[in-house]
Amino acid sequence: MTDYNFAYLDEQTKRMIRRALLKGVAIPGYQVPFASREMPMPYGWGTGGVQVSAACLTPDDRFKVIDQGADDTTNAVSIRKFFEKTAGVAVTEKTSEATVIQTRHRIPETVLSEEQILVYQVPIPEPLRFLEPKETETRKMHALEEYGLMHVKLYEDIARHGEIATAYAYPVKVEERYVMDPSPIPKFDNPKLESAALQLFGAGREQRIYAVPPYTRVVSLDFDDHPFDPSKADHPCALCGAEDSYLDEVIVDDTGRRMFVCSDTDFCAGRREDAA
Amino acid sequence: MTPLLDVRSLTKTYGSRTGCADVSFTLYPGEVMGIVGESGSGKSTLLNCLAGHLEPDRGAVLFDTRADGPRDTLRMSEPERRMLGRTDWAFVHQNPRDGLRMRISAGGNVGERLMAVGARHYGEIREAAEDWLDRVEISTNRIDDRPAAFSGGMQQRLQIARNLVTGPRLVFMDEPTGGLDVSVQARLLDLLRGLVRRMGLSAIVVTHDLAVVRLLADRLMVMKDGYVVETGLTDQVLDDPQHGYTQLLVSSVLQV
Ligand SMILES: Nc1ncnc2c1ncn2[C@@H]1O[C@H](COP(=O)(O)OP(=O)(O)O)[C@@H](O)[C@H]1O
Ligand SMILES: [Mg+2]
């Protein structure tokens, strides 16, 4: 069929990644170093997620890729094609039909099941990075559970904006132990991090893998007097009428008219089909 | 009474060079110990060994812990020592940039130690920060400003507030008035003296400035080439120095 090994990576590399994944699953939220490989795409295109997907895929899998909730962006299309070509796996845009879903910046609206794996593309895995640039120090902070600094960041938010203004990559504590960056998903998605599905995170450039196993407790950090608020758009989706999904603002004509529609295109299409 | 700190034969070398050698002393609760000596005499090395920032070659540093009484901090696990470092101990650096987070607001700087020990109520953290800014004579309307916008004296006062907010039992200070103008130094010293008296702080203050120890320290250790050459009550040592080196130090100050 092709000259590639199944799913592009050689078996040795996949084994190495699987070992890192198993370690990640055993220590939820802990960043496991791994020897990230060169992939035939630039960093920022999800090379970490692609390597994790490559290590997870089997010939029977059905693969879905979303970028900001959509299946049809350049990034999503090229990664989907990549695995169609190198693994010959079936692909789908339907969340409920996929067995492995690679994502950038969103968690699907459709509730995931135990049969599914969600693979995140992660640009910067270290939640403490912007507060403490030294890697030796951040590692120590994780090891000793010294997470006061994370709250300093939230304190600064409230001092400056009157509320916790962090809207993406909102830090969470996993199973009461490790503080984790859930990748740049909107904080709206944070409650969905407690899921029946296996969630795997891959950072290619930073060479880190971490995981949230099914049914793991994931708590968004906050203050007693400023509790975490996932926030919700104050409009329904202009296309499907959903009032509980994450909306994108889109410009619909050249006079600058705007509307708010579901960012999860499969979810939105499914609702419209059901209504029809 | 159990000493708060009991230091025994502390020695630190850098290769063939002596950092500090065979230093022993005790510090009792509420006491301020001054360490003086010319540049290179080993003051900073000693202070950093005491505070756990440097690993000495030999010796013991017994600290009277709240939970278990005197324990050798050099034999503690790193997590235990770091916990002490952000609860019962405080360290005021000569350069406020080493002791502050320059990209975090003044309030965040003061609140950090509170959050590090579990404070999770924004309003209360902010109140404590305001209270401490006030105590170190920084206007509370600067609470959201970054320290980069502060003068050197204000930065040093902010560093002190950030350190004292958790009510530490032992404060280490390395040349706290170091890089400041003379008039700013005087104000800071005055403030420090007030805080030390009111809070009954125990402290170890390293300085090459005898005026600083005259104002702050109950007792004095004079260091030369890494060794303690004279020790005693501050007034006694300064007014009636016994060791030739101390006599030189004192007289050179009198000439200024
Ligand atoms: N990191 C280091 N490496 C090598 N020598 C050092 C180091 N730090 C200090 N020293 C030496 O140790 C001695 C004591 O220095 P220090 O403790 O800084 O003295 P002080 O604080 O009294 O000026 C000096 O001779 C100094 O050159
Ligand atoms: Mg020094």
Side-chain angles (χ1 to χ4, degrees):
Chain A
M1 172 188 80
T2 75
D3 301 321
Y4 298 111
N5 192 41
F6 176 78
Y8 185 78
L9 291 176
D10 61 272
E11 294 307 310
Q12 198 62 26
T13 299
K14 282 194 267 182
R15 259 200 296 276
M16 175 271 291
I17 294 172
R18 284 175 198 141
R19 273 198 296 270
L21 288 170
L22 286 173
K23 185 164 178 181
V25 168
I27 318 170
Y30 171 75
Q31 297 168 49
V32 184
F34 82 110
S36 181
R37 293 294 140 92
E38 291 287 330
M39 298 301 288
M41 59 191 73
Y43 290 122
W45 278 63
T47 54
V50 167
Q51 290 176 80
V52 170
S53 291
C56 290
L57 282 171
T58 66
D60 299 333
D61 273 312
R62 190 172 292 111
F63 190 55
K64 169 181 165 83
V65 188
I66 46 172
D67 175 12
Q68 316 263 11
D71 298 78
D72 55 1
T73 68
T74 316
N75 193 186
V77 170
S78 56
I79 292 172
R80 194 166 58 232
K81 283 206 177 126
F82 177 76
F83 282 114
E84 270 187 291
K85 181 163 179 193
T86 61
V89 290
V91 296
T92 179
E93 296 194 359
K94 287 224 177 333
T95 300
S96 55
E97 287 174 6
T99 54
V100 178
I101 304 172
Q102 183 171 328
T103 181
R104 172 172 178 265
H105 294 189
R106 275 310 310 276
I107 298 176
E109 305 288 359
T110 307
V111 176
L112 301 179
S113 74
E114 289 176 11
E115 319 299 321
Q116 295 177 299
I117 299 176
L118 185 59
V119 177
Y120 295 75
Q121 303 172 197
V122 180
I124 296 166
E126 179 49 71
L128 299 160
R129 176 64 50 80
F130 292 109
L131 301 155
E132 176 55 68
K134 285 197 260 2
E135 163 96 22
T136 49
E137 191 60 22
T138 54
R139 277 200 190 204
K140 211 167 264 177
M141 291 161 113
H142 283 295
L144 303 179
E145 248 183 296
E146 293 180 2
Y147 288 132
L149 208 47
M150 215 60 247
H151 272 86
V152 173
K153 180 172 182 269
L154 301 180
Y155 168 95
E156 291 289 289
D157 254 17
I158 303 173
R160 211 166 307 146
H161 308 284
E163 59 179 3
I164 299 177
T166 301
Y168 294 88
Y170 192 106
V172 295
K173 195 159 201 181
V174 179
E175 204 63 28
E176 282 173 36
R177 179 57 183 83
Y178 285 95
V179 166
M180 186 189 94
D181 183 335
S183 88
I185 57 171
K187 66 177 176 173
F188 175 89
D189 283 342
N190 272 27
K192 287 187 243 145
L193 288 161
E194 288 193 342
S195 172
L198 172 62
Q199 299 172 84
L200 306 173
F201 300 76
R205 182 176 30 212
E206 304 265 338
Q207 317 213 48
R208 291 291 183 279
I209 277 170
Y210 49 101
V212 174
Y215 306 111
T216 299
R217 213 155 351 136
V218 182
V219 177
S220 302
L221 302 183
D222 61 5
F223 286 103
D224 298 343
D225 50 342
H226 286 266
F228 172 72
D229 171 18
S231 81
K232 209 161 74 80
D234 28 10
H235 333 256
C237 169
L239 297 178
C240 76
E243 290 177 5
D244 54 356
S245 78
Y246 188 75
L247 305 181
D248 283 336
E249 189 179 10
V250 292
I251 298 175
V252 288
D253 62 22
D254 51 11
T255 66
R257 232 164 35 84
R258 288 148 200 279
M259 62 179 194
F260 289 90
V261 299
C262 288
S263 112
D264 185 331
T265 49
D266 166 61
F267 176 76
C268 194
R271 278 179 52 87
R272 278 176 283 152
E273 266 165 42
D274 290 349
Chain B
M1 185 163 49
T2 313
L4 186 62
L5 201 66
D6 183 356
V7 180
R8 299 182 184 167
S9 308
L10 206 61
T11 300
K12 165 79 186 169
T13 52
Y14 302 99
S16 60
R17 189 177 295 182
T18 304
C20 64
D22 204 23
V23 177
S24 300
F25 70 95
T26 51
L27 182 82
Y28 286 89
E31 254 194 323
V32 178
M33 171 73 85
I35 302 176
V36 295
E38 64 190 337
S39 174
S41 57
K43 307 183 296 295
S44 294
T45 301
L46 173 58
L47 195 70
N48 283 305
C49 285
L50 296 175
H53 299 167
L54 270 179
E55 197 182 336
D57 308 337
R58 278 188 300 287
V61 178
L62 301 166
F63 177 73
D64 188 17
T65 61
R66 283 182 213 241
D68 310 311
R71 290 193 49 203
D72 187 352
T73 60
L74 303 176
R75 305 222 147 48
M76 277 181 181
S77 67
E78 193 181 10
E80 282 181 296
R81 207 162 37 229
R82 282 172 71 108
M83 181 55 103
L84 267 187
R86 53 179 203 273
T87 52
D88 272 352
W89 289 0
F91 197 102
V92 177
H93 296 262
Q94 169 171 0
N95 186 345
R97 286 173 176 275
D98 295 333
L100 292 173
R101 292 193 188 275
M102 298 306 282
R103 291 161 59 188
I104 303 276
S105 70
N109 266 285
V110 178
E112 179 176 350
R113 271 171 80 106
L114 295 171
M115 292 181 248
V117 295
R120 292 293 178 263
H121 191 285
Y122 175 83
E124 286 169 14
I125 293 163
R126 197 150 172 95
E127 243 170 65
E130 281 177 348
D131 175 42
W132 268 96
L133 290 181
D134 193 49
R135 287 205 226 183
V136 298
E137 299 167 12
I138 294 174
S139 163
T140 51
N141 65 24
R142 305 296 303 270
I143 190 168
D144 295 328
D145 294 348
R146 291 179 182 188
F150 289 2
S151 69
M154 279 172 81
Q155 289 181 357
Q156 198 55 305
R157 279 180 277 134
L158 180 62
Q159 193 193 179
I160 289 162
R162 162 182 165 87
N163 269 283
L164 297 188
V165 66
T166 46
R169 290 161 70 219
L170 177 57
V171 185
F172 302 98
M173 297 187 228
D174 193 354
E175 308 270 10
T177 59
L180 303 173
D181 295 341
V182 177
S183 63
V184 179
Q185 281 188 14
R187 182 174 174 200
L188 184 69
L189 265 181
D190 207 44
L191 180 96
L192 268 177
R193 188 164 63 156
L195 288 171
V196 163
R197 296 278 150 82
R198 243 173 292 132
M199 298 177 73
L201 285 180
S202 313
I204 298 177
V205 184
V206 156
T207 179
H208 66 278
D209 184 348
L210 297 188
V212 171
V213 284
R214 175 85 80 177
L215 269 175
L216 287 181
D218 305 304
R219 285 197 295 143
L220 208 56
M221 294 200 304
V222 182
M223 289 186 76
K224 179 180 191 301
D225 300 333
Y227 287 87
V228 175
V229 294
E230 183 161 357
T231 162
L233 297 174
T234 303
D235 291 340
Q236 203 174 26
V237 174
L238 293 183
D239 295 339
D240 184 18
Q242 299 300 305
H243 193 278
Y245 176 74
T246 317
Q247 290 168 357
L248 271 176
L249 264 188
V250 171
S251 63
S252 67
V253 141
L254 292 178
Q255 278 161 18
V256 178

